[in-house]
Amino acid sequence: MIRKLCNGLLLVMLLGLCTLTQAGMVKGLYSAEMLVPEQLAQPSDEQLQQGLKAVLIKVSGRSNVMNKPAVVSALQQPSAWLNQFSYQATQTPISAGDGREVLGQRLLLEFDQVLVERLLQQANLNPVGSARPVVLVWLAEQRGAAPRDYVAPESEIYTQLTQQAQARGVPLDIPLFDLNDQTALDVSDLWGFFREPIEQASQRYQPDAILIGRLTQSHTGGWQTEWLLLQAGNARSIKPEGALSDQLQEVIDDTADTVLASLGAVHFNYVETGLQLEVTNVADTEDYLQLLDYLRQLPPVEALRISGVQADRVQFRVEVQGGVSSLEQAIRLNPRMSPTPRLNAGGAETVYSYRWQD
């Protein structure tokens, strides 16, 4: 019983720490939630349509998926794709539609993964998958006559961007803006969209794409924003319009469509490269955190990604400088892991298997 509980806690911790190991693992792709004024015996067609649209956009990675004839037809009977639903009481006020204000109910809709993916196939699209590119977001602002400055990580602007990115299934990373960041990237370089210092400062976070924004607030309180998206050597300029919330939504939609554009055609998967490493005897979250710290500190390890969890067994993909021999030598010099004989993944690829020494 204790072992099962530990394994459950370990799984939760693994999911929560995916961004720390460079894999942008997105959860909840087949679910949608919304705030509604009351519980119903069955969600309304309008609510189901809204939820199904949100799921199809997240899973496909494309905002234009709604234009596909197969999807247009499916939205006429959205309940056919619903798996289950539930309500949760909140303390958030919401309009009841008749002039009253009530405490909202959070409606969670879970759609059937198999049916959703089949629908996308009918629309000639493939699911993007749960492992997705991580986008690092640098923001600078100028409010009236005040000097230009970094946008603080706790800013409402970052909060809105994160919420909208979650709705699109795009993992965002926010710089710490600590002394290291401020030394590496001057606010004037950030404001000027100077690529070289921005890319150098971003190496600390190892993102798959970089989104840079400069936000100007006028004396009347309105906002004008300009953005630059960097990915794989390409640069895309984004100049949204409207209220600030609308601009942020447009930027995230454009970013999501761009960074996920090629992933429906070929299954993007972080675990396709690097050595396959398996570590057993990882009994609880403390073991996992110690193991993660140990692996990161091995000199030849350049990147570390989780590829699977089963009982007390954790699988990683490890990018290693110098190949497997340099990894084995580093482990021998600091023997917190002992080799075990399991070296076959069920295919042609070698699995380097170790037992964690707790």
Side-chain angles (χ1 to χ4, degrees):
M1 183 68 180
I2 294 177
R3 167 72 78 172
K4 290 182 179 179
L5 177 60
C6 289
N7 289 334
L9 292 173
L10 173 60
L11 180 57
V12 170
M13 182 62 70
L14 290 174
L15 292 173
L17 294 177
C18 282
T19 56
L20 298 178
T21 54
Q22 321 234 353
M25 305 300 295
V26 179
K27 299 181 290 181
L29 287 175
Y30 297 86
S31 65
E33 65 177 51
M34 62 196 72
L35 200 63
V36 298
E38 61 179 340
Q39 291 191 26
L40 300 174
Q42 179 76 16
S44 68
D45 283 347
E46 182 179 357
Q47 292 168 347
L48 292 175
Q49 287 173 353
Q50 180 182 341
L52 183 55
K53 286 179 181 179
V55 165
L56 289 171
I57 289 173
K58 279 195 298 184
V59 175
S60 70
R62 290 164 170 77
S63 59
N64 64 357
V65 66
M66 296 300 106
N67 300 330
K68 300 291 185 178
V71 173
V72 172
S73 176
L75 289 173
Q76 302 305 309
Q77 293 183 316
S79 60
W81 280 263
L82 184 66
N83 189 14
Q84 61 182 3
F85 69 93
S86 61
Y87 289 93
Q88 181 182 8
T90 77
Q91 296 299 311
T92 306
I94 185 175
S95 172
D98 56 5
R100 295 180 300 120
E101 192 174 77
V102 298
L103 295 180
Q105 297 282 330
R106 181 172 289 107
L107 171 60
L108 178 64
L109 302 172
E110 297 278 355
F111 291 90
D112 189 283
Q113 177 175 345
V114 174
L115 295 180
V116 167
E117 293 183 356
R118 187 177 301 164
L119 174 57
L120 289 177
Q121 291 172 359
Q122 293 171 358
N124 296 318
L125 294 172
N126 290 322
V128 172
S130 59
R132 301 187 172 198
V134 176
V135 180
L136 178 67
V137 185
W138 294 95
L139 299 181
E141 65 179 3
Q142 183 169 27
R143 296 175 181 259
R148 297 164 182 167
D149 199 1
Y150 307 98
V151 175
E154 64 272 13
S155 165
E156 177 63 23
I157 294 174
Y158 269 121
T159 300
Q160 289 187 47
L161 284 173
T162 301
Q163 291 173 346
Q164 291 160 356
Q166 288 174 345
R168 287 300 310 268
V170 175
L172 293 189
D173 198 1
I174 300 174
L176 297 173
F177 288 109
D178 57 8
L179 184 60
N180 288 337
D181 283 342
Q182 296 180 43
T183 301
L185 181 60
D186 190 88
V187 70
S188 60
D189 290 334
L190 179 55
W191 188 267
F193 287 177
F194 295 127
R195 291 180 58 174
E196 184 174 350
I198 291 173
E199 290 175 337
Q200 288 180 351
S202 300
Q203 289 179 3
R204 175 186 186 185
Y205 300 95
Q206 299 185 353
D208 299 290
I210 307 169
L211 179 64
I212 311 112
R214 57 186 177 213
L215 301 87
T216 306
Q217 187 180 41
S218 68
H219 65 280
T220 61
W223 287 91
Q224 180 180 357
T225 69
E226 296 179 80
W227 306 76
L228 187 67
L229 177 64
L230 305 177
Q231 183 189 29
N234 299 316
R236 178 177 178 82
S237 178
I238 309 172
K239 296 183 178 181
E241 298 179 349
L244 180 59
S245 59
D246 295 331
Q247 294 185 52
L248 298 181
Q249 182 67 66
E250 182 178 338
V251 167
I252 290 298
D253 283 338
D254 197 308
T255 298
D257 287 342
T258 301
V259 300
L260 302 178
S262 63
L263 305 188
V266 291
H267 289 285
F268 174 81
N269 196 331
Y270 279 99
V271 300
E272 290 179 350
T273 61
L275 301 175
Q276 188 166 342
L277 175 69
E278 177 183 85
V279 183
T280 60
N281 197 37
V282 184
D284 51 31
T285 54
E286 183 178 353
D287 281 348
Y288 168 72
L289 292 174
Q290 290 182 12
L291 170 62
L292 192 63
D293 187 59
Y294 167 78
L295 291 173
R296 284 181 182 153
Q297 293 185 30
L298 292 177
V301 172
E302 295 182 332
L304 179 68
R305 305 185 286 270
I306 301 168
S307 59
V309 181
Q310 185 178 11
D312 67 345
R313 189 184 309 271
V314 184
Q315 293 90 34
F316 297 94
R317 285 287 177 158
V318 187
E319 302 286 350
V320 179
Q321 184 178 16
V324 64
S325 59
S326 62
L327 177 65
E328 291 174 338
Q329 181 179 10
I331 293 173
R332 285 196 297 270
L333 293 174
N334 188 6
R336 288 297 308 276
M337 301 193 306
S338 59
T340 58
R342 183 173 182 265
L343 294 175
N344 193 294
E349 186 176 11
T350 299
V351 177
Y352 298 93
S353 187
Y354 288 84
R355 177 180 174 84
W356 179 244
Q357 308 290 343
D358 53 10

